[in-house]
Amino acid sequence: MAITYEAVKNLSAQLYDWSLRKVPDDAQQALHGLLDSERSQTARKTLTFMLASADEAQKTQRFVCSDAGVPVYLMRIGTAARMQGPIKQAFTDGFAELVARIEPPLLDHVTHPLTLERGHSGRNMPLVTYELIDDADYVEIVCSPKALGSGRWAALE
């Protein structure tokens, strides 16, 4: 079976959407473990807030954080895997379709270097890194958004 443009387009959009609304269970377990062992009151309050935010986001299907960040993918490709179609373009198209329909809307996080126009598209957006896996016949895609820390102000300076 071949990995297709359509499958990568749909999966990349789903992964990014999911990553904005759900803190993985293992990460939540790790935060709970830290909360149990942390002695600093400030750190305990911060961990409690993080866990409450993750829980609320999952219940309401809202974003965990208002700074959704830049979509970053790692695509691990088996050397025996078959792919069909413009796979690199599938990430861009999937992201564009998600931007058009996602609620709440994503903040503009890309600035054109000449016009200073803000939007969601640009060179090499989203960020995709490719890695080969010897003798494997599958493809693995991991989405890990990179927050910019400037989401509330919608500008980097």
Side-chain angles (χ1 to χ4, degrees):
M1 185 164 111
I3 309 308
T4 66
Y5 162 87
E6 198 66 33
V8 171
K9 182 182 78 164
N10 293 335
L11 180 60
S12 65
Q14 289 170 357
L15 286 172
Y16 184 57
D17 190 5
W18 178 83
S19 71
L20 299 176
R21 302 172 196 279
K22 169 88 170 101
V23 174
D25 294 337
D26 61 340
Q28 288 190 53
Q29 289 171 356
L31 290 171
H32 276 290
L34 291 171
L35 182 60
D36 293 340
S37 64
E38 182 56 60
R39 291 185 294 223
S40 165
Q41 194 60 22
T42 301
R44 290 182 59 73
K45 283 183 180 181
T46 302
L47 290 166
T48 300
F49 177 80
M50 291 169 69
L51 287 163
S53 178
D55 186 51
E56 187 65 19
Q58 188 170 349
K59 284 181 191 172
T60 63
Q61 283 302 293
R62 302 303 259 170
F63 295 165
V64 174
C65 179
S66 63
D67 181 1
V70 174
V72 177
Y73 297 93
L74 168 61
M75 184 174 190
R76 300 182 72 221
I77 305 166
T79 56
R82 290 184 34 233
M83 293 185 285
Q84 293 177 338
I87 300 300
K88 187 175 179 181
Q89 186 63 40
F91 286 96
T92 302
D93 294 348
F95 181 59
E97 286 184 13
L98 180 65
V99 165
R101 66 171 167 75
I102 196 167
E103 285 297 327
L106 296 175
L107 296 172
D108 293 338
H109 56 261
V110 177
T111 303
H112 189 283
L114 300 177
T115 66
L116 300 182
E117 183 179 337
R118 298 188 55 78
H120 298 98
S121 61
R123 185 170 184 250
N124 296 323
M125 182 57 64
L127 304 173
V128 184
T129 302
Y130 303 91
E131 181 180 299
L132 292 177
I133 309 167
D134 289 337
D135 302 318
D137 65 352
Y138 61 89
V139 171
E140 177 183 291
I141 300 173
V142 175
C143 179
S144 180
K146 171 64 179 109
L148 299 172
S150 62
R152 293 208 183 270
W153 297 276
L156 286 175
E157 296 186 25

